[in-house]
Amino acid sequence: SVRAELAAPDRPDRDPFEPLPQPPAGFTLREVVRLPQHGVRLASLPGADWIFVLNNGGDLFRLEPATGNLVRVLTTKDYADPTRGPLDVIGMTIDTQRRLYLVANQRVSTKPHHTAEITIHRSEPLTNEGRPQGVKPWFRIDYPWGVRPGNHGVSHIAEGPDGFLYVSSGSRTDGGEAGNDPVLWTGGEHALTAAIWRIDPRADGGPRLETFASGVRNAWSFAWNEAGELFSVSNGPDEDEPEELDLLQRGRHYGFPYEYGAGVKTKYPRIGAPPPGLVMEPAIRNLGPAGGGSPQTPIATFDAHSSPAGMVYCGPDWPEAWRGRFIVGRFGNFIGRFNVGFDLLAVDLRRNAAGVYEARTETFLAPLARPIDLLSMGRKLYILEY
């Protein structure tokens, strides 16, 4: 009777665990575990029977999907000092050397303005049982703390086919604004923000950072296709502009904060003209039928405020019907006139006659409760709901 009452459609506090949606043909769908804390990232090793689940506070859990057994194997204080300022740990990966990486953002009350201290922690090679040991600071850098709510932080990290580590550094503003908080820097974006970093873990003398691509507002995820091309999904501003899917290439600029999508100029009056000679790459156009696009009115790339989040490439283990596509989870909107997102999209990328990628997008799974990260392991896809 309590369950029936909670499920009543007119209740403002309905049961948050809705029935699972119908999976695509040929798939089954089951709930693996209900988490004690919000999770933000998933990671594992090929052939492992466990998955790491990261909480944005910095705690790390080890999950056995077959049983649902969940154990906390690392706490924030094991590798970071939370007394120095608020922590947000929102990046995690495991490299081919079996080393765990955790990306921590910490607000430090320095003067004349507060600092975002970014630390990438690295472990010793993981055991087969998935027990992290020797997690220590490996790379550290800082920039001025951002203007809320635009401070997106440094998040996704992954090892590329070239052996480099790629890291997403989100914008520190919503749309390039100065802000008016006396303890925060008023210089808009910084050289280290709204960018994709590339770090060589093999460099003599320690890791070295390179800005691989700039003008990328907030790429929560990125992934490579079988040709080694790098694609990212990025969140747009509070202004009603499309969320982007971009083909990221070294040294290119992707528009933020001057324009969005495919050449849509910002409406924010506070943003001046781009620097003379700056060439800005357009986002990939979506021809639909899902995600906001259609053949008649394509957009670049997804509905405004739908918040594309987790992203995986469908490799050779996937059924032939889906192979070669990207699966993109959309976290869903916090602002906007109607709900968008709360789903997984299958994105088929093809080059047109001019050699430019276009997206044909369809709904893969919906509705979901804020999917924030995805993990593809063999013939299984794990979906982390926030």
Side-chain angles (χ1 to χ4, degrees):
S1 63
V2 170
R3 287 175 178 166
E5 181 183 350
L6 286 172
D10 56 345
R11 281 185 62 92
D13 56 344
R14 293 175 61 192
D15 183 355
F17 296 99
E18 298 280 0
L20 296 177
Q22 183 68 28
F27 287 81
T28 59
L29 180 64
R30 72 177 181 91
E31 180 183 286
V32 176
V33 68
R34 297 183 181 183
L35 302 172
Q37 301 175 355
H38 284 308
V40 290
R41 297 288 179 184
L42 300 174
S44 190
L45 286 170
D49 60 358
W50 49 265
I51 295 172
F52 282 154
V53 184
L54 176 66
N55 168 261
N56 68 305
D59 289 348
L60 186 68
F61 294 84
R62 179 186 181 275
L63 168 66
E64 295 174 358
T67 63
N69 186 45
L70 186 72
V71 178
R72 187 168 60 181
V73 294
L74 198 67
T75 67
T76 312
K77 63 182 180 181
D78 292 332
Y79 61 92
D81 181 6
T83 64
R84 298 186 63 247
L87 267 167
D88 208 16
V89 186
I90 49 178
M92 173 175 64
T93 197
I94 302 171
D95 70 8
T96 51
Q97 304 300 312
R98 304 171 65 96
R99 297 172 297 198
L100 170 71
Y101 294 81
L102 299 172
V103 182
N105 299 258
Q106 191 159 33
R107 180 172 180 168
V108 183
S109 300
T110 51
K111 294 181 179 180
H113 47 255
H114 289 190
T115 297
E117 186 175 277
I118 313 303
T119 306
I120 302 177
H121 303 268
R122 188 172 77 177
S123 77
E124 298 171 1
L126 294 166
T127 64
N128 290 334
E129 294 75 27
R131 303 289 177 179
Q133 302 290 333
V135 180
K136 298 178 181 178
W138 173 72
F139 177 81
R140 181 169 287 164
I141 200 165
D142 59 65
Y143 57 79
W145 186 264
V147 180
R148 291 286 185 183
N151 193 86
H152 294 97
V154 179
S155 57
H156 189 45
I157 180 172
E159 184 179 22
D162 54 7
F164 286 82
L165 287 170
Y166 290 75
V167 187
S168 174
S169 176
S171 69
R172 63 172 298 277
T173 69
D174 178 49
E177 70 273 24
N180 53 16
D181 190 323
V183 303
L184 300 180
W185 188 56
T186 58
E189 290 303 321
H190 186 272
L192 292 171
T193 60
I196 302 294
W197 302 345
R198 190 169 78 160
I199 302 176
D200 187 355
R202 303 154 298 189
D204 294 336
R208 299 175 184 175
L209 183 148
E210 168 198 355
T211 298
F212 179 80
S214 54
V216 182
R217 183 178 180 273
N218 182 35
W220 182 257
S221 284
F222 48 78
W224 290 264
N225 64 8
E226 78 284 351
E229 295 173 309
L230 177 59
F231 296 84
S232 71
V233 286
S234 192
N235 292 270
D238 288 355
E239 177 183 347
D240 293 335
E241 304 296 355
E243 316 281 55
E244 296 191 9
L245 169 62
D246 291 302
L247 168 61
L248 298 179
Q249 296 176 287
R250 188 180 184 188
R252 305 288 180 88
H253 192 286
Y254 292 84
F256 180 81
Y258 309 107
E259 65 180 42
Y260 301 94
V264 178
K265 306 301 181 184
T266 180
K267 302 181 185 71
Y268 284 2
R270 56 180 174 263
I271 305 304
L278 179 65
V279 176
M280 293 176 280
E281 301 294 322
I284 294 172
R285 298 197 314 161
N286 174 17
L287 304 182
S294 70
Q296 296 75 30
T297 56
I299 64 170
T301 308
F302 305 117
D303 307 270
H305 313 307
S306 58
S307 304
M311 178 182 188
V312 296
Y313 180 70
C314 303
D317 290 328
W318 279 73
E320 186 176 354
W322 304 98
R323 205 171 298 157
R325 305 188 190 191
F326 287 96
I327 303 295
V328 175
R330 297 196 299 170
F331 186 81
N333 64 300
F334 281 119
I335 61 176
R337 297 178 296 279
F338 48 84
N339 286 338
V340 288
F342 305 95
D343 55 13
L344 300 190
L345 301 179
V347 181
D348 184 11
L349 294 177
R350 307 177 195 174
R351 292 189 184 271
N352 61 20
V356 177
Y357 272 117
E358 293 177 333
R360 289 161 176 83
T361 304
E362 58 185 287
T363 299
F364 182 78
L365 187 64
L368 292 168
R370 298 205 182 279
I372 194 169
D373 201 24
L374 306 175
L375 176 66
S376 182
M377 293 179 63
R379 297 178 60 85
K380 297 179 181 178
L381 175 67
Y382 292 93
I383 304 162
L384 176 61
E385 287 186 338
Y386 188 80

